[in-house]
Amino acid sequence: MNGCAPGAGDRGAVCVREARALPAAPAPHDAVGQLRAAVDALIGSDAPPPAAPSGIIRIEVPIRQRVDAIEWLHAQTALLPRCFFSARAPLPDAPTLAGTSTCGNGNGNGQRQQPVSVAGVGSAVFFRGTEPFSLADWRSIKRFLPRDCPLIRAYGAIRFDATSDASVEWEDYGSFYFIVPQVEFNELEESSVLATTIAWDDSLSWTWQNAVEELQSTLRKISTCSVQGNKTSLQTAIVSLNHVPTKASWDLAVTKALQMIKRRQRELVKVVLARCSRYITDTCIDPVELLACLKVEGQNAYQFCIQPPHAPAFVGNSPEQLFHRKHLNISSEALAGTRARGKTRADDFQIGQDLLLSTKEDIEFTIVRDSIKNKLEMICDEVVVHPSKALRKLPRVQHLSAQLAARIRNEDDEFEILNTLHPSPAVCGLPTEEARRFIRDHEIFDRGMYAGPVGWFGGAESEFAVGIRSALLGKGHSTLVYAGAGIVEGTNPSFEWDELDLKASQFAKLLRYQEQHIRYQEAENLGTVI
C-alpha cells in the first residue's frame, strides 16, 4: 500500500492507531511463535474485522536478552524491502535550551528505552513519490504515526535533488522512499523487541483482510535465528575501479568553481562537488555484511540501510546529523573541514590543531555553521550554538563541528525544518540554488539519495542524518561509493581529490585489492548503471 496516493495527506489521521504488548519471551524464536499466533487470531472465526475503514496496529513481544539487530536482519535473506537505522550516541557537549530535559535516551526513571538499532523487513505501508517531497507527502506519512505509539516509525530517504532526473540505478527509490516495516527488530541496551505492524486504509484499496494475509505470509518467512557475519572485512576482492569524474575533469570543475567564487559571479561562495567510484568485485557484496563492518567502525555515526523491492541497497555510515526533533525541541549540527587521524597521539593532536587553525577550513566551516543557524532562526523561537567550533574525531578522519539547539513553535513545523535544512552548505553550497545549479551543470552522475536526508519520522519524534559516507550496492558485482568535498576560496583541487579518497577509505579498506589483476580506470563519462 502506497500511503502517498493523491489527496491522502488531506484525510487526517487513520481511524485506529494503537500498540499492543504481548508477554515477554526468553528468545527471538519464542517471540516469532507468539507473533504468528497473535496475527493468526486476528482473522479467526471469533475475531470480526475492525469496523474502522483505516488504521495501524503494532503488536510487540519483549525479548529478555539483547540480540544484535544486524545479525537478525542478516538471517532474513529472502525478504524485501528492508531497512536498518542505528542511532548515534549523544555527543557530550550538545547544547540544551532552558527548561529542556536532559534525560538522554530514556533508560531510567520509568521511561521507555529508545532502540539502539532498528532492523525491519516488509512494508505495512510504504510512501513513494516521483515529485519533490512535499507538505502533502509529509502529512500522508504522519497520518499513520501516532504520538502515543513512539516506535511506529517510517524509515527511509529523500533524493539530494528531486528536480533532477533519476538514473536507472536510483529509479526504484523515486524522489523519496519510506516504509513502516511489517516485521521489525528493536535492539535495546539490555534487551530486544520483536514487533509486527498492520496498516490498512479502504480508501487506498488496501483492506484489513489484505493487510493481515500479507503479514501472515511475511511472518512465515521470518527466520527464527540470527546470523553472525565477518565484521572486520568482506570476503571479496576488487577487480576494477572507475572514478566519475576523472582526476582531470575534477580539476577542471574545481578550477571553474574557484573562478566563479573569486569573481563573485552569481554570488557563489561555496559549492560541494562529489565523486562516484564504481568498484567491480569478484563476488557479490551482501549489504548487511557491509553494514556490520561499518558498524564496527561507526563510532559517533549513524549506520543505515534502505532497500526497496527489486532495487540496490543504499548503505552508509554518516557522522552528520541533519536534525533530531523531540516534541518542540530541535537539535542539529554543522560539520565541515576534513583531516586524517594521526598515526600517533602527538601526530593526531598536531593534525587537529592544523585543522582548527586552517584559514581555508575555517571559511568553509563558518559558512556551514552560520547558514544552519540562520535557517533555524527563520523557524524557531530560540537558537543556541555550543560549542561554536570544535574537533569531531572519528576513527579515520576528524572534522570541525558545532552543535545547535532550537525550539520550534509547533510540531507541524517539522516539515519546514526538514525542507529548510536540506540541502545544507555542507553537501551543496551557498547560496543554495546557485550551488545546486553548478552541481547540475558539472556533475556527470546522479547523486540519488547520496547527501540527502536519511532517517525516520515518528509521531512525537523524528531523526535524520545526512546521507554521506555512503554506497549503493547492486545485485551483481558492482558497488558505487560516493564522496564529496567543499570548494571555497583557497581550495587546492588535488588536496580535495585526496580528501575524497580519505572519505571513501572506510569502504575501500573493507575490500581486498588484487594488484596483479585489478584494472584501474578513470572514466570520463562512465555510466553508473548497476
Side-chain angles (χ1 to χ4, degrees), residues 105-385:
N105 66 358
N107 295 343
N109 302 323
Q111 297 189 22
R112 183 178 188 129
Q113 292 187 44
Q114 292 293 320
V116 173
S117 300
V118 174
V121 296
S123 63
V125 54
F126 71 92
F127 308 90
R128 180 186 181 277
T130 56
E131 297 297 318
F133 189 69
S134 67
L135 179 61
D137 297 320
W138 177 81
R139 287 173 173 162
S140 295
I141 296 174
K142 298 292 280 193
R143 67 189 288 262
F144 283 93
L145 307 178
R147 297 185 78 260
D148 56 352
C149 301
L151 293 183
I152 297 181
R153 299 171 174 177
Y155 296 88
I158 301 172
R159 277 180 66 83
F160 169 77
D161 183 1
T163 64
S164 63
D165 294 334
S167 57
V168 174
E169 68 268 17
W170 287 107
E171 62 184 2
D172 290 315
Y173 285 80
S175 293
F176 58 90
Y177 182 81
F178 288 87
I179 61 169
V180 176
Q182 273 185 318
V183 182
E184 181 180 306
F185 194 91
N186 299 160
E187 178 186 349
L188 309 179
E189 289 287 352
E190 298 178 352
S191 59
S192 309
V193 173
L194 185 68
T196 188
T197 301
I198 309 157
W200 75 99
D201 189 337
D202 293 350
S203 69
L204 298 176
S205 301
W206 191 250
T207 66
W208 166 262
Q209 188 80 13
N210 296 143
V212 175
E213 288 178 354
E214 185 170 280
L215 177 56
Q216 287 179 310
S217 175
T218 300
L219 282 171
R220 284 194 291 268
K221 301 172 187 173
I222 291 294
S223 172
T224 58
C225 63
S226 299
V227 175
Q228 292 186 351
N230 188 334
K231 297 183 179 181
T232 58
S233 65
L234 299 170
Q235 301 304 306
T236 189
I238 300 170
V239 176
S240 68
L241 169 59
N242 308 301
H243 293 312
V244 180
T246 67
K247 174 61 164 62
S249 295
W250 169 266
D251 289 347
L252 289 174
V254 173
T255 300
K256 176 67 173 176
L258 290 172
Q259 290 172 348
M260 293 180 63
I261 291 168
K262 186 174 181 180
R263 297 172 186 171
R264 297 293 188 262
Q265 292 180 11
R266 296 188 292 181
E267 299 181 349
L268 186 66
V269 176
K270 175 186 177 180
V271 65
V272 179
L273 296 178
R275 185 182 75 187
C276 176
S277 300
R278 185 171 185 252
Y279 291 84
I280 303 296
T281 52
D282 61 351
T283 60
C284 297
I285 298 175
D286 185 329
V288 182
E289 289 186 5
L290 173 59
L291 194 63
C293 292
L294 292 175
K295 190 176 182 183
V296 171
E297 188 171 318
Q299 301 171 17
N300 299 323
Y302 299 93
Q303 290 81 47
F304 59 84
C305 176
I306 305 293
Q307 187 173 17
H310 315 298
F314 181 47
V315 179
N317 185 43
S318 174
E320 185 173 358
Q321 181 187 79
L322 184 64
F323 78 92
H324 173 249
R325 177 189 72 85
K326 189 166 187 179
H327 304 298
L328 298 178
N329 296 317
I330 300 290
S331 63
S332 186
E333 68 185 20
L335 202 69
T338 304
R339 292 287 192 278
R341 295 297 303 271
K343 295 181 179 180
T344 66
R345 182 174 297 181
D347 186 34
D348 191 61
F349 175 80
Q350 186 58 55
I351 292 172
Q353 292 304 299
D354 290 344
L355 177 58
L356 281 169
L357 298 175
S358 167
T359 301
K360 179 264 178 186
E361 304 292 4
D362 184 69
I363 292 171
E364 181 180 352
F365 171 72
T366 301
I367 289 170
V368 174
R369 182 195 60 206
D370 292 354
S371 174
I372 294 173
K373 180 175 182 290
N374 293 338
K375 288 178 176 181
L376 288 173
E377 288 174 340
M378 293 166 54
I379 306 169
C380 304
D381 284 328
E382 182 182 356
V383 178
V384 174
V385 182

